[in-house]
Amino acid sequence: MFFRTLASRYSLSNLPAQATERLRIAPLVQADAEAVRALTDDPAITRVVDFLPTPFTLDHARRLIGSGKPVKDCFLGAKADGALVAVIGVHLRGEHAVEIGYWVGGAARGRGYGSEAVAGVVAILRKRFPHRFIVAECRPENAASRGLLLKTGFRDTGDEGHRPGRRIFSLDPV
Protein backbone atom coordinates (compact mmCIF):
# COMPACT_ATOMS: atom_id res chain seq x y z
CA MET A 1 0.00 0.00 0.00
CA PHE A 2 2.82 2.42 0.85
CA PHE A 3 4.43 2.03 -2.58
CA ARG A 4 1.08 2.39 -4.38
CA THR A 5 0.42 5.64 -2.48
CA LEU A 6 3.93 6.91 -3.18
CA ALA A 7 3.70 6.00 -6.88
CA SER A 8 0.35 7.79 -7.23
CA ARG A 9 2.09 11.06 -6.29
CA TYR A 10 4.11 10.78 -9.51
CA SER A 11 1.57 9.33 -11.92
CA LEU A 12 -1.75 10.18 -13.51
CA SER A 13 -2.79 6.53 -13.72
CA ASN A 14 -6.05 5.57 -12.06
CA LEU A 15 -7.41 9.10 -11.67
CA PRO A 16 -10.86 8.72 -10.14
CA ALA A 17 -14.07 9.88 -11.81
CA GLN A 18 -15.67 13.02 -10.38
CA ALA A 19 -19.31 14.03 -10.46
CA THR A 20 -20.34 17.67 -10.40
CA GLU A 21 -23.83 19.12 -10.46
CA ARG A 22 -24.26 18.49 -14.20
CA LEU A 23 -21.16 16.59 -15.32
CA ARG A 24 -19.40 13.29 -14.96
CA ILE A 25 -15.65 13.72 -15.41
CA ALA A 26 -13.46 10.68 -16.04
CA PRO A 27 -10.35 9.67 -17.98
CA LEU A 28 -11.15 9.15 -21.64
CA VAL A 29 -11.13 5.57 -22.96
CA GLN A 30 -10.96 4.27 -26.52
CA ALA A 31 -14.75 3.90 -26.61
CA ASP A 32 -14.88 7.75 -26.40
CA ALA A 33 -12.78 8.23 -29.55
CA GLU A 34 -15.63 9.08 -31.92
CA ALA A 35 -17.12 11.58 -29.45
CA VAL A 36 -13.68 13.17 -28.99
CA ARG A 37 -13.27 13.40 -32.77
CA ALA A 38 -16.71 14.97 -33.23
CA LEU A 39 -16.17 17.51 -30.46
CA THR A 40 -12.59 18.39 -31.41
CA ASP A 41 -12.81 18.55 -35.22
CA ASP A 42 -13.82 22.20 -35.02
CA PRO A 43 -11.60 24.99 -36.39
CA ALA A 44 -12.47 27.12 -33.36
CA ILE A 45 -10.70 24.45 -31.25
CA THR A 46 -7.92 23.22 -33.53
CA ARG A 47 -6.90 26.80 -34.37
CA VAL A 48 -6.11 27.63 -30.71
CA VAL A 49 -4.88 24.31 -29.29
CA ASP A 50 -1.39 24.09 -30.76
CA PHE A 51 -0.99 20.30 -30.85
CA LEU A 52 -4.35 19.49 -32.45
CA PRO A 53 -4.24 18.94 -36.23
CA THR A 54 -6.86 20.08 -38.73
CA PRO A 55 -8.82 18.07 -39.63
CA PHE A 56 -8.94 16.15 -36.34
CA THR A 57 -9.60 12.54 -37.32
CA LEU A 58 -10.69 9.40 -35.49
CA ASP A 59 -7.08 8.20 -35.59
CA HIS A 60 -5.97 11.46 -33.93
CA ALA A 61 -8.63 10.96 -31.23
CA ARG A 62 -7.45 7.40 -30.58
CA ARG A 63 -3.83 8.56 -30.24
CA LEU A 64 -4.86 11.42 -27.94
CA ILE A 65 -6.66 8.99 -25.65
CA GLY A 66 -3.69 6.62 -25.75
CA SER A 67 -3.29 3.26 -24.11
CA GLY A 68 -5.36 3.97 -21.02
CA LYS A 69 -2.28 3.73 -18.77
CA PRO A 70 -1.23 7.37 -18.42
CA VAL A 71 1.78 8.34 -16.36
CA LYS A 72 2.64 11.97 -17.19
CA ASP A 73 -0.24 12.99 -19.49
CA CYS A 74 -3.94 12.15 -19.30
CA PHE A 75 -7.06 13.43 -21.03
CA LEU A 76 -10.38 13.47 -19.22
CA GLY A 77 -13.82 13.87 -20.69
CA ALA A 78 -16.64 15.89 -19.17
CA LYS A 79 -20.04 14.47 -20.07
CA ALA A 80 -23.47 16.02 -19.55
CA ASP A 81 -26.32 13.52 -19.80
CA GLY A 82 -23.88 11.06 -21.40
CA ALA A 83 -22.73 13.46 -24.15
CA LEU A 84 -19.13 14.70 -24.25
CA VAL A 85 -19.07 18.48 -23.78
CA ALA A 86 -15.41 19.16 -22.89
CA VAL A 87 -11.95 17.62 -22.83
CA ILE A 88 -9.44 18.47 -20.12
CA GLY A 89 -5.77 17.57 -20.47
CA VAL A 90 -3.72 16.98 -17.34
CA HIS A 91 0.08 16.97 -17.56
CA LEU A 92 2.66 16.44 -14.81
CA ARG A 93 5.36 19.11 -15.00
CA GLY A 94 8.39 18.13 -12.94
CA GLU A 95 8.02 17.57 -9.20
CA HIS A 96 6.03 20.68 -8.36
CA ALA A 97 3.32 21.36 -10.92
CA VAL A 98 0.42 19.88 -12.83
CA GLU A 99 -0.67 21.70 -15.98
CA ILE A 100 -4.21 21.62 -17.27
CA GLY A 101 -5.60 22.60 -20.64
CA TYR A 102 -9.13 22.28 -21.96
CA TRP A 103 -11.52 22.77 -24.81
CA VAL A 104 -15.29 22.92 -24.86
CA GLY A 105 -17.49 21.77 -27.73
CA GLY A 106 -19.31 24.40 -29.78
CA ALA A 107 -22.86 23.62 -28.62
CA ALA A 108 -21.71 23.54 -25.00
CA ARG A 109 -19.90 26.89 -24.98
CA GLY A 110 -21.36 29.69 -22.90
CA ARG A 111 -23.31 27.31 -20.64
CA GLY A 112 -20.82 27.06 -17.76
CA TYR A 113 -19.66 23.54 -18.62
CA GLY A 114 -16.04 24.62 -19.03
CA SER A 115 -15.72 26.16 -15.58
CA GLU A 116 -17.66 23.28 -14.01
CA ALA A 117 -15.35 20.76 -15.71
CA VAL A 118 -12.18 22.61 -14.71
CA ALA A 119 -13.41 22.92 -11.10
CA GLY A 120 -14.12 19.18 -11.09
CA VAL A 121 -10.67 18.35 -12.42
CA VAL A 122 -9.08 20.69 -9.88
CA ALA A 123 -10.92 18.76 -7.14
CA ILE A 124 -9.47 15.49 -8.46
CA LEU A 125 -5.97 16.96 -8.65
CA ARG A 126 -6.14 18.54 -5.19
CA LYS A 127 -6.78 15.11 -3.69
CA ARG A 128 -4.04 13.37 -5.68
CA PHE A 129 -1.43 16.15 -5.71
CA PRO A 130 -1.99 18.51 -2.74
CA HIS A 131 1.70 19.48 -2.79
CA ARG A 132 1.72 20.67 -6.42
CA PHE A 133 0.84 23.94 -8.09
CA ILE A 134 -1.88 23.61 -10.73
CA VAL A 135 -1.09 25.78 -13.74
CA ALA A 136 -2.66 26.66 -17.06
CA GLU A 137 -1.59 28.79 -19.99
CA CYS A 138 -3.91 31.24 -21.71
CA ARG A 139 -3.67 33.86 -24.39
CA PRO A 140 -4.48 37.24 -22.80
CA GLU A 141 -6.94 38.06 -25.61
CA ASN A 142 -8.94 34.86 -25.01
CA ALA A 143 -11.50 36.50 -22.73
CA ALA A 144 -13.61 33.35 -22.28
CA SER A 145 -10.68 31.16 -21.21
CA ARG A 146 -9.17 33.89 -19.03
CA GLY A 147 -12.57 34.41 -17.35
CA LEU A 148 -12.95 30.66 -16.79
CA LEU A 149 -9.55 30.45 -15.10
CA LEU A 150 -10.22 33.45 -12.86
CA LYS A 151 -13.69 32.13 -11.99
CA THR A 152 -12.22 28.79 -10.90
CA GLY A 153 -9.64 30.43 -8.60
CA PHE A 154 -6.57 30.69 -10.81
CA ARG A 155 -4.52 33.87 -10.67
CA ASP A 156 -2.61 35.47 -13.51
CA THR A 157 1.05 35.22 -12.49
CA GLY A 158 2.12 37.83 -15.04
CA ASP A 159 4.69 35.35 -16.36
CA GLU A 160 5.00 34.41 -20.01
CA GLY A 161 3.99 30.85 -20.80
CA HIS A 162 6.10 28.24 -22.56
CA ARG A 163 3.90 28.55 -25.64
CA PRO A 164 4.18 31.76 -27.64
CA GLY A 165 1.75 34.53 -26.71
CA ARG A 166 0.44 32.89 -23.55
CA ARG A 167 0.45 33.80 -19.87
CA ILE A 168 0.70 31.43 -16.92
CA PHE A 169 -2.21 31.17 -14.49
CA SER A 170 -1.74 29.30 -11.22
CA LEU A 171 -3.46 27.76 -8.22
CA ASP A 172 -1.14 27.41 -5.23
CA PRO A 173 -0.76 24.07 -3.43
CA VAL A 174 -3.10 23.50 -0.49
Side-chain angles (χ1 to χ4, degrees):
M1 181 65 174
F2 169 77
F3 291 109
R4 181 177 290 155
T5 302
L6 183 62
S8 74
R9 293 180 63 196
Y10 300 98
S11 171
L12 293 170
S13 64
N14 301 316
L15 284 178
Q18 174 81 14
T20 66
E21 184 178 329
R22 301 178 296 163
L23 301 175
R24 181 177 186 285
I25 302 162
L28 291 167
V29 296
Q30 287 299 321
D32 296 316
E34 176 53 34
V36 171
R37 187 218 52 84
L39 180 105
T40 307
D41 190 28
D42 174 350
I45 293 171
T46 57
R47 182 176 56 248
V48 296
V49 181
D50 296 343
F51 64 88
L52 296 176
T54 302
F56 189 82
T57 67
L58 186 57
D59 186 54
H60 293 128
R62 288 181 178 132
R63 282 187 275 156
L64 180 92
I65 294 167
S67 68
K69 298 198 184 285
V71 175
K72 302 272 185 201
D73 300 288
C74 180
F75 288 89
L76 297 98
K79 295 180 180 180
D81 298 321
L84 186 68
V85 295
V87 173
I88 306 92
V90 179
H91 316 281
L92 294 183
R93 300 293 187 231
E95 299 276 324
H96 303 289
V98 181
E99 181 179 359
I100 66 165
Y102 47 85
W103 58 92
V104 179
R109 289 184 203 124
R111 298 177 58 194
Y113 287 130
S115 56
E116 190 173 333
V118 167
V121 170
V122 165
I124 294 168
L125 296 175
R126 285 289 191 221
K127 290 176 192 165
R128 174 69 67 92
F129 305 109
H131 61 290
R132 291 181 185 246
F133 288 88
I134 301 173
V135 297
E137 290 190 8
C138 178
R139 289 182 175 91
E141 67 274 9
N142 186 339
S145 189
R146 180 180 168 78
L148 182 156
L149 290 169
L150 295 173
K151 180 179 179 180
T152 54
F154 284 78
R155 66 178 172 78
D156 185 343
T157 65
D159 296 328
E160 291 296 316
H162 299 289
R163 294 165 193 89
R166 296 181 189 225
R167 301 268 295 263
I168 297 175
F169 288 72
S170 178
L171 281 173
D172 294 339
V174 264

